[in-house]
Amino acid sequence: MLHLDSDYIRGGHPEVMNRLLEVSLEAVPEGYGEDAYTKRARKLILDACGLSEEGDVRFMVGGTLTNATMIDVLLHPCEGVIAAETSHINVHEAGAIEAFGHKVLTIPASYGKLSAKDIDEYLGKFYEDKTWPHMVIPGMVYISQPTELGTLYTLAELEAISRKCSLHNIRLYVDGARLAYALASPENNVTLPDLARLCDAFYIGGTKCGALFGEAVVIPHPEKISHLFTQIKRHGALFAKGWLIALQFEVLFSNGLYQEIGDLGNRYAGLIKEIMKTCGYRQYVDSPTNQQFFILPNRIVDSIKKRVSFSVWEKVGKRQSIVRFVTDWASNIDGIKDLLLFR
Amino acid sequence: MLHLDSDYIRGGHPEVMNRLLEVSLEAVPEGYGEDAYTKRARKLILDACGLSEEGDVRFMVGGTLTNATMIDVLLHPCEGVIAAETSHINVHEAGAIEAFGHKVLTIPASYGKLSAKDIDEYLGKFYEDKTWPHMVIPGMVYISQPTELGTLYTLAELEAISRKCSLHNIRLYVDGARLAYALASPENNVTLPDLARLCDAFYIGGTKCGALFGEAVVIPHPEKISHLFTQIKRHGALFAKGWLIALQFEVLFSNGLYQEIGDLGNRYAGLIKEIMKTCGYRQYVDSPTNQQFFILPNRIVDSIKKRVSFSVWEKVGKRQSIVRFVTDWASNIDGIKDLLLFR
Amino acid sequence: MLHLDSDYIRGGHPEVMNRLLEVSLEAVPEGYGEDAYTKRARKLILDACGLSEEGDVRFMVGGTLTNATMIDVLLHPCEGVIAAETSHINVHEAGAIEAFGHKVLTIPASYGKLSAKDIDEYLGKFYEDKTWPHMVIPGMVYISQPTELGTLYTLAELEAISRKCSLHNIRLYVDGARLAYALASPENNVTLPDLARLCDAFYIGGTKCGALFGEAVVIPHPEKISHLFTQIKRHGALFAKGWLIALQFEVLFSNGLYQEIGDLGNRYAGLIKEIMKTCGYRQYVDSPTNQQFFILPNRIVDSIKKRVSFSVWEKVGKRQSIVRFVTDWASNIDGIKDLLLFR
Amino acid sequence: MLHLDSDYIRGGHPEVMNRLLEVSLEAVPEGYGEDAYTKRARKLILDACGLSEEGDVRFMVGGTLTNATMIDVLLHPCEGVIAAETSHINVHEAGAIEAFGHKVLTIPASYGKLSAKDIDEYLGKFYEDKTWPHMVIPGMVYISQPTELGTLYTLAELEAISRKCSLHNIRLYVDGARLAYALASPENNVTLPDLARLCDAFYIGGTKCGALFGEAVVIPHPEKISHLFTQIKRHGALFAKGWLIALQFEVLFSNGLYQEIGDLGNRYAGLIKEIMKTCGYRQYVDSPTNQQFFILPNRIVDSIKKRVSFSVWEKVGKRQSIVRFVTDWASNIDGIKDLLLFR
């Protein structure tokens, strides 16, 4: 059976696991991110982002907890967050953002992406309405790179969004749960230093990109945030054995492993794209990363299901479905080639 | 250097690590606790607790997140939680309980422990005051086993507390961050089936008891809780790769490993207790588990600090301090014996 | 100057004021709604709603506080509320619903109204998506009668919505900030007993309908709610001098005054509608209640502004605007007739 | 029957009522505090407080809502508020402070009062504990003037507390629900300008001091608060007909009425004190304001109850009770003299 369900179906990359095993018996007396491993991983990531020691990196567990924590940290209590209608925080986080009192202010997205123009219009219209002080004040734009549909923001697009955010004095936050696949995509031109330059915070996903678990939040200007440590604790997002996550990121950010993991996932996904197109199936969206969406007749869906596990994204009328294939660094290449059988 | 700072200074027990390594490359397509590993670990734990398949076990990461989630899940929005003034949720969780709107209603504790009598008096007095509908309604008693001071509730004490809770129709929740050390203590007479019978929920700590990370929440009557899965997600406490934690608990609950880990920690702690008493130092509290508290002259504190890392719990006047030594299954026995030098 | 800005521009109806004056010096020793005035007003309202003594009525101050309180009271913490995109709770309550952790789940509205069909589709689609436990669970439908645009739900429409709510086991809540104008409209066929029969809660607005201030929340089945009094207090919505509001509702619900007040507002609004149509202006929406929306050329807007104060609802292109005229029981009839000058 | 239950048993002072009646039919087109009445009342109060136009005054309804709103507005999300164990926010607000995520950090009080020394010790100890970043950070001191027991802070005491707050960079907030009685007490030496100089915010209670309803929050440095209007709305504390409250304060702050009301209440209370002492009963606390606390034998309590309504504060053993008598500007002087019968 070939598993293309998601990119969190596996533990960690072997190099990550070996390192965890190595350090596991060592005593690391400093908890909560005060240890040498955390310092080293922070330094590595700051360097990769072109940030000096004045930037900060915090390690957390899980996308929803990371998003809920950072969005709350970066917003004023009466500010909300602008996001795509289809965004993870609007749909699939069970109200974790609202649980801390923040409204998600939705804008329709095109293939998972927000445009600087739409954001600008939203903000312009908001302040034009003289009743705005009775409304939730937009305080942030949330986007993900890659998006929920595997698409990418170009550097020009990201810069345009960042400019609008600066102009309106609101923050920009990037959810990088699958950032490895963005960074490794040949179509990508947004680097880590770009993200660090253009965002108020973003996270580098580990869970879906080769780590056993854990995400690294990059905060270029921590001096703007008060009580960061305590806020993380208050959200239950402070990991006692902080070094466990740091250690993994140290491995991922040494010798280009994070990039390599992203590249492998993208290649397998590219192979799927090629095969499906050869088979004559229509893409739902053209994704240059590790998620591929195709519109298939239901009988083909049923027959692929016999050999491949994957998710049906949405029904299209009575006879077709949009399906999603997700790869990672260890997807079975032979299994993928077998997809050729299903035409 | 001997490290007696805490019991979260190490990764996982070698058996846990080996199992994680083994499964790490396997694909587990079902996320969020729907997989076979989770089912198996749940069954193992339910069996150990004398619960049928009708009970439930949920795997989460970190004590604060687990407490904040379960306390919110078990309380009505206008209920608060009765806890010791010195309890972890009242002191060291940065307001995570209040962040979800619940007040911590404190009662003075004796050596970290609440008494059934004090709880009863609190509740009696509460309902006697005819202005009670203007107050936060007590909805739960929170205790920990062992307590923050390493002490244990006896079965009789726990039963008495449980009876008072039933009488007043409020819930009982036990924080078992260090439960292994309680279960393995020769002085303990509270078993897992006792906890399952007497509590509305409790958690079996993994992070401080041999797991790499993770805790197992036991819920004897899940039918009383609505939307449990969604509530966990809303708190950011739903772990995508749920099987990672389940797997560790499977190991811990096979062949008595959890008990053995607790026992090792307790033995090392016992050795420390013996040595310190031999040296003539006074216990701050008599703990039968892996945390030992002694009152030492500051100059002794300083000289031990040269060879041992540990925390100073509290100053006592100008010349003495209460110190805390914490052991785990891998504390260095030779190092511990060296403590004999400090008399 | 004629003021058609809103229906909260005046104090109370003279009968209400006189009664307040009368009772003002009397001592009412029971606070928080335990007094005889409150009991009497509750009885009057329950009777008007065809409810027995088993129903409940609570008096609060202000629409936003009332909505935020009752929506929180009626929802499970991980439930959200379905509402029109244009609804007051979604737009003009500054996130008061989210401040208590509930997401507003929006559906596009037609002339301010939701349809049973749209609600049904939303709910059907929700549960069809097998990832729904990761999402905010719809727990209530919020509508207002009349709507933000002055339109009315017919009895058939309300019954259809109520049926869908029952079918999906979610609650129905009606915001009646301007209910007097609905009840008094000749086009209306939804009575108070209908609302009591079809909703889980609704409020009878006083602030905009002749009271000095205050709203009466009707709860047909209070036995389904626990800790109602304490929840109201926790929201800051418990009014110490509760009888002050009750007293006003006693007046409003005696001798048909509430109905009469609604009728007067509607008549003045009807006159405006007639005049504007005579002048050849186009309605934005056909409202049978005390709010009238017209699309006017901007130069007409400017010239009316010289004699009438009102709000510009929205710009329409560069040369026209949607304007809103709001009347109440004391709108100046002569002033209204002067509008005839502006053609 | 003489009613000494509380000071919210009556409507408004006749002068307040007459003014409300006068303005009631007038149209005030600007809602939400933007009208001329509000501007005038704000000016009057700012003048009385020795503040320039740079200070701000906001009108709200009810003590709990006002406290919950202002405490949230003045605190960082991970800050808590230091208050007396017996304080209103800790005991009688049903968790309204916690509902917005803030912990109440209690200090034992002496006769309802906190001391600068205790506050200083609390803060000193807090920051000495190196685990403090895991704790709720104290961000404010909450006191009330007069206290729940009718006692008063002296200017020296208030200045000492204010100094400690400045020193530790935390805010000071004064709950003035009964401020009129403090201001009018011959024993008082804390003026409105003192409060404005020493606090970050305080409120001048109307509900218990002659207004029909409403409180005036004084904010000497509004420039330190962002989005104040929206925050008030988000809490449901923005009153649409804002001028209704302003109008009342205009009356209360003209011709010394607020002071006079306080003075009358204090005089009646003084009479009760004198009588009770003459009768040989023991004071529970020596209060110079409108609340008097006495320890009475239960049989005297029962016999007074036949002619006077009042509340029993607390039982003292089996045979005595602490009772509370509360007066206002309209307490019946003849009835009070009748108390002489009960010796």
Side-chain angles (χ1 to χ4, degrees), chain B residues 178 180-186 259-272 288-292 327-329:
Chain B
R178 295 185 170 102
Y181 307 104
L183 294 176
S185 172
Q259 191 82 7
E260 187 186 320
I261 284 169
D263 184 53
L264 280 166
N266 288 345
R267 280 174 195 273
Y268 295 136
L271 197 54
I272 290 173
T289 59
N290 75 320
Q291 297 188 90
Q292 296 297 323
T327 58
D328 64 17
W329 47 275

Side-chain angles (χ1 to χ4, degrees), chain A residues 78 85 89-96 98-104 106 125 128-136 305 310-315, chain C residues 78 85 89-96 98-104 106 125 128-136 305 310-315:
Chain A
C78 65
E85 272 178 9
I89 57 167
N90 192 45
V91 181
H92 279 118
E93 302 196 351
E98 290 83 1
F100 278 86
H102 303 291
K103 193 179 183 74
V104 180
T106 55
K125 231 173 147 176
E128 228 168 64
D129 184 337
K130 68 182 184 198
T131 68
W132 72 261
H134 294 256
M135 303 185 199
V136 173
K305 282 260 166 180
F310 60 90
S311 59
V312 171
W313 196 250
E314 217 182 293
K315 299 277 172 197
Chain C
C78 64
E85 271 177 10
I89 57 167
N90 192 45
V91 180
H92 279 119
E93 302 196 350
E98 289 82 2
F100 278 86
H102 302 290
K103 193 178 185 75
V104 180
T106 55
K125 230 172 150 179
E128 227 168 63
D129 183 336
K130 67 180 186 202
T131 68
W132 72 261
H134 294 256
M135 302 186 199
V136 173
K305 283 258 166 182
F310 59 90
S311 59
V312 171
W313 196 249
E314 216 181 295
K315 299 277 173 198

Side-chain angles (χ1 to χ4, degrees), chain D residues 34-247:
Chain D
E34 301 296 316
D35 62 284
Y37 292 109
T38 299
K39 288 189 182 106
R40 227 147 59 206
R42 176 186 293 140
K43 180 77 170 61
L44 261 179
I45 291 175
L46 289 174
D47 283 352
C49 294
L51 290 169
S52 72
E53 285 287 316
E54 274 148 40
D56 202 353
V57 179
R58 301 284 167 143
F59 299 100
M60 304 185 190
V61 180
T64 296
L65 189 57
T66 301
N67 287 336
T69 302
M70 290 310 301
I71 289 171
D72 187 44
V73 161
L74 291 166
L75 290 182
H76 182 280
C78 63
E79 288 178 338
V81 48
I82 295 175
E85 271 176 10
T86 52
S87 63
H88 203 259
I89 57 167
N90 193 44
V91 182
H92 279 119
E93 302 195 350
I97 308 306
E98 290 83 2
F100 278 86
H102 302 291
K103 193 179 184 73
V104 181
L105 307 163
T106 56
I107 293 188
S110 164
Y111 298 107
K113 288 162 65 180
L114 296 182
S115 73
K117 192 169 149 290
D118 287 351
I119 292 165
D120 198 40
E121 258 175 46
Y122 181 95
L123 291 164
K125 230 173 149 178
F126 180 82
Y127 286 107
E128 229 169 61
D129 183 336
K130 66 181 186 201
T131 68
W132 72 262
H134 294 255
M135 302 185 198
V136 172
I137 295 168
M140 174 190 279
V141 168
Y142 162 100
I143 57 175
S144 46
Q145 173 84 331
T147 69
E148 290 287 297
L149 292 172
T151 52
L152 293 174
Y153 287 88
T154 65
L155 182 55
E157 287 168 341
L158 191 67
E159 281 177 332
I161 290 175
S162 180
R163 261 196 309 275
K164 294 305 177 193
C165 289
S166 299
L167 190 71
H168 294 281
N169 200 21
I170 70 175
R171 279 116 277 153
L172 177 57
Y173 172 80
V174 176
D175 179 332
R178 296 186 169 101
L179 195 58
Y181 308 103
L183 294 174
S185 172
E187 296 195 15
N188 175 60
N189 66 347
V190 178
T191 64
L192 285 172
D194 291 329
L195 288 167
R197 180 173 51 89
L198 300 170
C199 305
D200 292 89
F202 66 99
Y203 82 85
I204 303 172
T207 300
K208 297 177 175 177
C209 305
L212 186 66
F213 67 96
E215 341 296 329
V217 182
V218 180
I219 307 167
H221 296 287
E223 73 280 3
K224 292 187 187 168
I225 298 171
S226 48
H227 302 314
L228 180 56
F229 182 95
T230 308
Q231 292 204 67
I232 294 172
K233 177 86 185 186
R234 180 178 183 251
H235 279 263
L238 188 69
F239 198 61
K241 300 180 178 174
W243 79 92
L244 278 187
I245 312 178
L247 202 62

Side-chain angles (χ1 to χ4, degrees), chain A residues 107 115-128 164 168:
Chain A
I107 293 189
S115 73
K117 192 169 150 289
D118 287 351
I119 292 166
D120 197 41
E121 257 176 47
Y122 182 95
L123 291 164
K125 231 173 147 176
F126 180 84
Y127 285 107
E128 228 168 64
K164 294 305 177 193
H168 294 281

Side-chain angles (χ1 to χ4, degrees), chain B residues 133-134, chain C residues 31-34 38 41-43 45-46 53-62 66 69-70 73 173 201-206 214-223 225-233 237-239 242 245-246 249:
Chain B
H134 293 256
Chain C
Y32 306 109
E34 302 295 316
T38 299
R42 177 185 293 141
K43 180 76 170 63
I45 291 175
L46 288 175
E53 284 289 316
E54 274 148 40
D56 204 353
V57 179
R58 302 281 168 144
F59 299 100
M60 305 186 188
V61 179
T66 301
T69 302
M70 290 310 302
V73 161
Y173 172 79
F202 66 99
Y203 84 83
I204 302 173
E215 342 295 331
V217 182
V218 180
I219 307 168
H221 295 287
E223 74 280 4
I225 299 171
S226 49
H227 302 314
L228 179 57
F229 183 95
T230 308
Q231 291 204 69
I232 293 172
K233 178 85 183 186
L238 189 70
F239 198 59
I245 312 177
F249 274 91

Side-chain angles (χ1 to χ4, degrees), chain B residues 44-336:
Chain B
L44 261 177
I45 291 175
L46 288 175
D47 284 352
C49 294
L51 289 169
S52 71
E53 285 287 317
E54 273 148 39
D56 203 353
V57 178
R58 301 282 168 144
F59 298 99
M60 304 185 188
V61 179
T64 297
L65 189 57
T66 301
N67 287 336
T69 302
M70 290 310 303
I71 288 171
D72 186 43
V73 160
L74 291 166
L75 290 182
H76 182 279
C78 65
E79 288 178 337
V81 49
I82 295 174
E85 271 177 10
T86 52
S87 63
H88 203 259
I89 57 167
N90 192 45
V91 181
H92 279 118
E93 301 196 349
I97 308 304
E98 291 83 1
F100 278 87
H102 302 291
K103 193 179 184 72
V104 180
L105 307 163
T106 56
I107 294 188
S110 165
Y111 297 108
K113 287 162 66 179
L114 296 182
S115 73
K117 191 168 151 290
D118 288 351
I119 292 167
D120 197 41
E121 257 176 49
Y122 182 95
L123 291 165
K125 230 173 149 178
F126 180 83
Y127 286 107
E128 229 168 63
D129 183 336
K130 67 180 186 202
T131 67
W132 72 261
H134 293 256
M135 302 186 197
V136 173
I137 295 170
M140 174 190 281
V141 168
Y142 162 99
I143 57 175
S144 47
Q145 174 84 329
T147 68
E148 290 287 297
L149 292 172
T151 52
L152 293 175
Y153 286 89
T154 64
L155 182 56
E157 289 169 341
L158 191 68
E159 281 177 331
I161 290 175
S162 179
R163 261 196 309 274
K164 294 304 177 195
C165 289
S166 299
L167 191 71
H168 294 281
N169 199 20
I170 69 175
R171 279 117 277 155
L172 176 58
Y173 171 80
V174 175
D175 180 332
R178 295 185 170 102
L179 195 59
Y181 307 104
L183 294 176
S185 172
E187 295 194 17
N188 176 60
N189 65 348
V190 178
T191 63
L192 284 172
D194 290 330
L195 289 167
R197 179 172 52 89
L198 300 169
C199 305
D200 292 89
F202 65 99
Y203 83 83
I204 303 172
T207 300
K208 296 177 175 179
C209 306
L212 186 66
F213 66 96
E215 343 295 331
V217 182
V218 180
I219 307 167
H221 296 286
E223 73 281 3
K224 292 187 188 169
I225 300 170
S226 49
H227 302 314
L228 180 56
F229 182 96
T230 308
Q231 291 204 68
I232 294 172
K233 177 85 184 188
R234 180 177 183 252
H235 278 263
L238 188 69
F239 197 61
K241 299 179 180 176
W243 80 92
L244 278 187
I245 312 177
L247 202 63
Q248 299 179 63
F249 274 91
E250 202 185 329
V251 175
L252 291 171
F253 274 75
S254 299
N255 306 318
L257 181 60
Y258 193 68
Q259 191 82 7
E260 187 186 320
I261 284 169
D263 184 53
L264 280 166
N266 288 345
R267 280 174 195 273
Y268 295 136
L271 197 54
I272 290 173
K273 186 198 290 194
E274 207 179 299
I275 291 170
M276 294 314 268
K277 283 168 105 171
T278 306
C279 295
Y281 299 126
R282 191 153 51 94
Q283 281 181 300
Y284 169 58
V285 51
D286 188 10
S287 154
T289 59
N290 75 320
Q291 297 188 90
Q292 296 297 323
F293 296 83
F294 277 84
I295 304 173
L296 302 183
N298 291 342
R299 62 179 171 81
I300 296 292
V301 171
D302 292 340
S303 69
I304 305 185
K305 281 261 165 179
K306 284 169 198 151
R307 298 223 198 161
V308 186
S309 67
F310 58 92
S311 60
V312 171
W313 196 250
E314 217 182 295
K315 300 276 173 199
V316 181
K318 296 215 160 154
R319 313 179 80 162
Q320 297 188 97
S321 299
I322 300 166
V323 302
R324 184 184 71 156
F325 301 118
V326 191
T327 58
D328 64 17
W329 47 275
S331 297
N332 178 344
I333 189 150
D334 294 326
I336 290 174

